[in-house]
Amino acid sequence: MSDQAEGGSYRPAPVHTHPDDVPLLSALSALADPVRIQLIRDLASHPDWTLSCSNFDVPVGRAAKSHHFSVLREAGLVEQRDQGPKRLNRLRRAEFDARFPGLLDLALRPDATD
């Protein structure tokens, strides 16, 4: 089995943290950034596995966007999988809600970034 994406470029598979293993402060920290809130909101408004990383319109460069997704994965909020050259995303809402009931609902409220 290979860790290569279609087209021959090497990209390691993303590492995921299960929400059960995430401390509260890590979850809160991940949700404290406006760019990450926007990523979460975009994911919440689309079906699982339909948005690739390039589909998100956030005011940061590619490297910063990659960092934000890494933080979200480490906080148990996002799961990613590679499909050819694309990295698809899903919000781990059910798992995160089981660990931190109501926290994601608060973060997704329209007034959450005010």
Side-chain angles (χ1 to χ4, degrees), residues 46-82:
H46 288 83
D48 290 349
W49 308 118
T50 58
L51 293 178
S52 70
C53 293
S54 63
N55 291 129
F56 295 88
D57 185 24
V58 289
V60 297
R62 187 174 174 173
K65 191 188 308 184
S66 178
H67 168 73
H68 286 298
F69 273 113
S70 177
V71 170
L72 292 171
R73 282 194 320 267
E74 290 171 9
L77 281 155
V78 170
E79 185 177 7
Q80 297 179 305
R81 71 177 184 204
D82 292 334

Side-chain angles (χ1 to χ4, degrees), residues 17-22 24 27 31 40 44 75-78 90-109:
T17 303
H18 193 278
D20 288 346
D21 300 324
V22 176
L24 177 60
L31 292 168
I40 293 298
L77 281 155
V78 170
R90 85 168 182 98
L91 182 60
R92 298 178 78 177
R93 185 167 197 138
E95 301 101 306
F96 195 83
D97 283 345
R99 172 76 168 119
F100 303 107
L103 183 56
L104 197 50
D105 288 334
L106 289 172
L108 292 172
R109 285 175 37 172

